[in-house]
Amino acid sequence: MLEKILTGGPIMVPLVICSLISLAVVYDRWTAFRVNRKTDTRALRSKVLTHLRNNDIQGAVTECESSNGPIASVLLAGLRSYSHLHGKEESSETMRLVVGQVMEDYSAQAMSVVNKRLDVLTTIGTAAPLLGMTGTVTGMIASFAGLADAGSVGGSGGAVADGIAEAMVTTAVGLIVALLAVIPQSVFNRWSDEIELEIEEGTSEVVEFILTHH
């Protein structure tokens, strides 16, 4: 296997580096998403609303503090803002606007953490095939040079085979590295969209509660 990789020539160095970076990012993001997905966010939102209906804002805050993940963090930011305004007996419209803005701002921060390093997978998914194609070009150049040498006195066709091998190996490896980045990224993007949707739903529930109960 190592011998086949080495036949890819110098282009294999950045391809191997890309593959290692991609695997590291995939492992990091998979671990983070796995922790987030362990939290029953629907149950959390239900408990928060139950506490709010019972006028137990601190209980809702405690529920969020004891939970992990971006959804709990966004709800916590909104509830703390709501608790602060509730103590000042602000109007429902003021509380709705302020709490909604706080949760919207915090959700942007939370989603930036959720999507952290996914752009690295995008870059690798784009660059790896291009690196493979570059290896293909350099391999074909070597093949043509080998053909020229083979036509001269004392020339050998071995250089032609080496050039073709370099071209094929780099192309294959470039595509494999790209797939190892693009497929996990697609899964992570879907999970990210689910988290963003739940954040929006949680924000709407809190804002709607403020409007209907004050």
Side-chain angles (χ1 to χ4, degrees):
M1 177 63 71
L2 180 60
E3 182 180 352
K4 290 182 178 180
I5 292 176
L6 292 177
T7 58
I11 294 296
M12 289 301 299
V13 174
L15 283 174
V16 170
I17 293 174
C18 284
S19 67
L20 294 176
I21 294 174
S22 177
L23 290 174
V25 172
V26 168
Y27 177 77
D28 173 72
R29 292 294 83 202
W30 179 79
T31 302
F33 276 110
R34 185 182 62 174
V35 172
N36 291 335
R37 291 173 68 84
K38 282 184 177 180
T39 303
D40 189 346
T41 54
R42 294 188 182 277
L44 172 64
R45 286 159 48 194
S46 177
K47 290 177 182 178
V48 166
L49 287 177
T50 299
H51 283 296
L52 291 178
R53 292 189 184 102
N54 294 331
N55 201 29
D56 182 14
I57 301 176
Q58 185 55 46
V61 169
T62 302
E63 286 287 351
C64 293
E65 288 177 338
S66 61
S67 300
N68 297 319
I71 298 169
S73 299
V74 173
L75 288 174
L76 180 59
L79 290 171
R80 284 175 172 169
S81 176
Y82 174 52
S83 177
H84 177 72
L85 294 172
H86 188 269
K88 293 184 176 181
E89 297 184 353
E90 296 284 354
S91 66
S92 60
E93 182 63 20
T94 299
M95 287 192 288
R96 181 188 71 83
L97 291 174
V98 174
V99 172
Q101 187 62 51
V102 167
M103 295 182 75
E104 183 179 343
D105 292 343
Y106 202 86
S107 66
Q109 298 178 30
M111 289 308 301
S112 68
V113 174
V114 169
N115 295 323
K116 183 172 61 175
R117 300 191 185 94
L118 291 186
D119 57 333
V120 175
L121 296 181
T122 302
T123 301
I124 292 175
T126 303
L130 296 178
L131 287 170
M133 291 174 63
T134 302
T136 300
V137 172
T138 57
M140 295 308 296
I141 291 173
S143 296
F144 286 123
L147 283 173
D149 291 340
S152 63
V153 178
S156 172
V160 179
D162 290 342
I164 294 175
E166 178 180 335
M168 295 299 100
V169 169
T170 54
T171 301
V173 173
L175 292 174
I176 291 172
V177 172
L179 287 173
L180 290 176
V182 171
I183 293 176
Q185 185 196 22
S186 177
V187 176
F188 295 152
N189 284 339
R190 180 170 61 83
W191 289 349
S192 174
D193 290 341
E194 291 174 358
I195 291 173
E196 187 172 15
L197 178 60
E198 287 211 56
I199 288 176
E200 291 175 358
E201 291 175 349
T203 300
S204 297
E205 288 171 352
V206 172
V207 170
E208 183 179 353
F209 172 84
I210 294 173
L211 280 176
T212 56
H213 290 76
H214 291 277

